[in-house]
Amino acid sequence: MANYQNVTNIITDELTATLSNINDNDVEQLLEKINKADKVFFVGVGRVLLSLKSIAKRLAHLGVNTYVVGQTTEPAITENDLLIVGSGSGETAFPLIIAQKAKQYGASVAHIGSNPNSSMSEYADVSVRIPASSKIDTPEEVHSVQPMKSLFEQSLLLLGDTIALMMVKERNIEIESLWEYHANLE
C-alpha cells in the first residue's frame, strides 16, 4: 500500500531535481520580457493551461496586465506584448498556431517546455526548459513515477511562483500590500 509520506517525498524530490536544473539565465530573460511587456498573454492546453492560469492570476496581483488566450475579455496582441506558451513537447497544435499568429503581429513569444528542439523554437524569442519527463523522453529529463506529465505541470506552476517572488523582491513589494489586488467579490 502507498504510504503518504513516501509518495510525498518522491514527488518533492522530483520537483527539486527538476527546478534546480532550470537555467537561471533563461528565467531572467523571461522575467525581463515580462517586465517590458504592456500585456502578457498565456496559451496552453489541459493541465498546463490550468498552471498557466494560476501564473497569470499571480502576475496580475503584481500589477502585470495578463490575459489567457480565448478569455472573453482578451484584447488584441501587439508588438509591445508577450505571449507565454506552455507546452512540454513544444509540438501541441493549438499553442503552435497561436505562437505563429502572435509573431505575425510582432509580439514576443516565450516558450516554457521540456523539448528545446521542438517546432515551437521557430517562434520563441525566449525559451525556458523544464527538464521534466515528456512525450519525447530524452536522457537529460528528470524521469517521473507520477502519471503522465504531472511533474511538468507542477514544475510550471512552481516556476511561475518563483518568477512572481523574484518580481516581489526586485520591486521591493511588501507582501501585505498585495491583498488590495486580490479578488474581493468572494
Side-chain angles (χ1 to χ4, degrees), residues 41-140:
F41 294 78
F42 294 84
V43 67
V45 297
R47 284 174 40 118
V48 168
L49 179 58
L50 296 175
S51 293
L52 290 172
K53 285 180 176 182
S54 294
I55 296 168
K57 178 77 169 179
R58 182 61 69 224
L59 294 184
H61 290 148
L62 299 177
V64 177
N65 293 321
T66 62
Y67 301 93
V68 175
V69 172
Q71 77 181 55
T72 305
T73 57
E74 175 191 354
I77 197 166
T78 73
E79 68 277 356
N80 301 318
D81 301 328
L82 172 65
L83 172 70
I84 297 178
V85 178
S87 173
S89 68
E91 301 294 340
T92 308
F94 180 67
L96 276 169
I97 292 166
I98 298 301
Q100 180 182 30
K101 193 89 165 169
K103 292 307 284 183
Q104 288 173 359
Y105 290 105
S108 293
V109 173
H111 175 223
I112 303 173
S114 57
N115 179 10
N117 303 314
S118 68
S119 299
M120 192 63 71
S121 65
E122 181 181 338
Y123 307 110
D125 299 291
V126 175
S127 293
V128 176
R129 181 170 187 258
I130 295 177
S133 311
S134 68
K135 297 177 209 172
I136 311 290
D137 199 29
T138 64
E140 313 83 51

Side-chain angles (χ1 to χ4, degrees), residues 58-63 164-165 167-168 171 173-183:
R58 182 61 69 224
L59 294 184
H61 290 148
L62 299 177
L165 185 54
M167 291 174 77
V168 165
R171 297 175 182 184
I173 297 171
E174 291 186 32
I175 297 290
E176 293 303 314
S177 72
L178 296 176
W179 284 104
E180 73 181 89
Y181 300 108
H182 193 276

